[in-house]
């Protein structure tokens, strides 16, 4: 039986005709049984919805039915009939049953009850079998596809930038070292320092923190490109917004100024959210209802103003607010939490770096919508950002989202060789190592801009999950590289 053509549960529920004889395979979510009938909820991952299998204990061998337990994998053949109960339109009357993989109910960690997200993180290898994580991973896939579709429709080229590099694109020194040297017997040079000339690449290398610099090279020939790759940061930030390994989308466009850059970013974010609304309805509805349920017993003041689907619609329907850093500082300085010293980091002067508490105040309390913050002080931003004429600020842009904080960081790039070199000197960025980057400013330089979208932060927003560890299948965070 298991070699015949299988019909996916999604297809059965959507299109199967009453009377059809079909084969389905999947994992048992629950079984309820009495003397005359057994109800089995089957899920195969193609949809959040289960197919109800109805089996007659007088027709299906008892030893077989006994092995139909939560977590077991089974194949079932039978007839599609109109569903008696509420919920689904059809169910299957089982004629033949096969156990593909047993799951000892005494040992199977996922019981048919509500588990905490913390517990599920400890069994991340099994959590895709829950409704919540199934929904999150299906939406994650839809968003990957939508990113490629958005850029492909605009004739951007997808570029694979290197994962192993010798540079630190953000200059923040938070890289993971890549080496093939013997850690227990490191070669030393004449000065007694580690001799990286003997390492695999003849020099020090690390995992990339961003594909941007290579993306810029490509844009200086191909016009409009984007990367979508893994990036790695050894920052010891144990927060619900940081991963050590995350995925980033980095478009880079020749001839775009800072305004063009912001326009593209806003259009892309709205496109992605709309794509989810159009294509992930069942999963979004489940996550929306879950959120309503979670907040049911909270005080009015602690409940979200909008629930998931309404938040998504709000972002699609409203233009983002555009504000300069300088104006934002004024707003923050005069804000209630600043005056009442409720912020952990008080804002007293222009030049202060914004913490996530400030970003969230601007987005959630003050503007109550996504905010595009621009023109930051040059001293708190990376060396490659274009210097504004005021001598103090750079053409930087961060996009802040409700419940998330920074979701995008980007800028117009410094295309003038002398200005770029001056900034690298001031910030101690080694020019020798980035000679190839500087060369693009010598040969056919052009104004250009780009940004980076943190993919998991986007998935946080679209799913309404609140911890970034729950939107990537196998999170990498300080102290955690299990599975
Ligand atoms: O602001 P960041 O550091 O900017 C860059 O890397 C630029 N090179 C992007 C560019 O202009 N091409 O990172 C961009 C985004 C952030 O806005 C955030 O969404 C996400 O990447 N991000 C992280 N996401 C999860 N975990 C972390 N540790 C992250 N660090 C940044
Ligand atoms: Mg940033």
């Amino acid at each position: 039986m298991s070699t015949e053509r299988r019909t996916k549960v999604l297809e059965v529920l959507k299109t199967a005709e009453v009377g059809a004889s079909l084969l389905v395979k999947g994992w048992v979510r629950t079984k309820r049984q009495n003397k005359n009938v057994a109800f089995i909820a089957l899920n195969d991952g193609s949809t959040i919805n289960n197919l109800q299998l109805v089996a007659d204990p007088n027709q299906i061998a008892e030893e077989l039915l006994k092995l139909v337990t939560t977590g077991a994998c089974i194949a079932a053949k039978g007839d599609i009939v109109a569903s008696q109960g509420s919920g689904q339109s059809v169910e299957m009357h089982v004629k033949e049953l096969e156990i593909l993989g047993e799951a000892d109910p005494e040992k199977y960690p996922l019981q048919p009850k509500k588990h905490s997200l913390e517990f599920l993180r400890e069994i991340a290898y099994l959590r895709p079998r829950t409704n919540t994580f199934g929904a999150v991973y299906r939406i994650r896939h839809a968003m990957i596809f939508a990113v490629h579709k958005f850029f492909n429709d605009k004739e951007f080229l997808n570029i694979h930038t290197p994962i192993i590099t010798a540079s630190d694109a953000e200059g923040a020194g938070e890289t993971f070292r890549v080496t093939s040297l013997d850690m227990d017997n490191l070669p030393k040079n004449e000065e007694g320092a580690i001799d990286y000339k003997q390492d695999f690449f003849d020099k020090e290398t690390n995992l990339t923190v961003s594909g941007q610099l290579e993306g810029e090279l490509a844009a200086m020939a191909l016009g409009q490109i984007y990367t979508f790759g893994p990036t790695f940061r050894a920052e010891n930030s144990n927060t619900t917004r940081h991963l050590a390994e995350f995925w980033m989308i980095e478009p880079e466009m020749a001839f775009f100024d800072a305004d063009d850059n912001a326009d593209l970013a806003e259009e892309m974010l709205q496109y992605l959210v709309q794509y989810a609304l159009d294509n992930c309805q069942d999963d979004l509805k489940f996550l929306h209802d879950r959120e309503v349920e979670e907040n049911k017993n909270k005080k009015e003041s602690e409940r979200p103003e909008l629930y998931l689907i309404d938040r998504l619609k709000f972002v699609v329907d409203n233009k983002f607010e555009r504000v300069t850093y300088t104006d934002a500082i004024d707003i923050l300085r005069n804000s209630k939490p600043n005056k009442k010293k409720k912020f952990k980091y008080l804002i007293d002067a222009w030049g202060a770096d914004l913490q996530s508490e400030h970003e969230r105040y601007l987005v959630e309390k003050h503007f109550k919508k996504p905010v595009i913050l621009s023109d930051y002080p040059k001293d708190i931003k990376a060396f490659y950002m274009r210097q504004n004429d005021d001598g103090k600020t750079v053409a930087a842009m961060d996009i802040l989202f409700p419940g998330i904080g920074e979701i995008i960081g980007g800028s117009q790039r410094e295309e003038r060789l002398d200005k770029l070199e001056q900034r690298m000197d001031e910030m101690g960025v080694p020019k020798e190592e980035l000679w190839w980057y500087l060369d693009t400013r010598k040969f056919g330089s052009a104004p250009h801009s780009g940004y980076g979208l943190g993919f998991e932060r986007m998935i946080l927003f679209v799913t309404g999950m609140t911890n970034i560890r729950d939107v990537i299948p196998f999170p990498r965070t300080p102290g955690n590289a299990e599975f």
Side-chain angles (χ1 to χ4, degrees), residues 170 210 212 233 235 241-243 246 248 250 384 406-410 413 450-452 454 457 468:
E170 293 303 302
S210 157
Q212 177 194 322
R233 299 202 181 171
E235 48 188 339
R241 303 282 175 269
H242 289 86
L243 290 165
F246 64 99
M248 191 158 37
E250 296 186 275
Y384 51 71
E406 180 190 335
I407 197 165
I408 277 182
R413 316 307 187 189
Y451 61 83
R457 295 205 184 163
I468 201 160

Side-chain angles (χ1 to χ4, degrees), residues 151-210:
F151 285 114
N152 186 63
D153 287 353
K154 288 192 175 297
E155 294 167 332
F156 278 57
L157 301 186
N158 183 214
I159 297 291
H160 287 156
T161 49
I163 291 168
I164 302 174
T165 78
S167 56
D168 174 2
E170 293 303 302
E174 292 167 333
T175 58
F176 287 102
R177 182 68 55 79
V178 173
T179 180
S180 63
L181 291 178
D182 177 357
M183 288 292 135
D184 298 319
N185 186 19
L186 289 168
K188 298 285 168 64
N189 60 21
E190 274 155 24
E191 288 92 61
I194 296 169
D195 185 9
Y196 288 103
K197 290 227 161 56
Q198 296 187 41
D199 204 347
F200 191 92
F201 297 105
D202 296 352
K203 58 164 117 177
E204 278 187 73
T205 51
N206 50 267
L207 295 176
T208 186
V209 296
S210 157

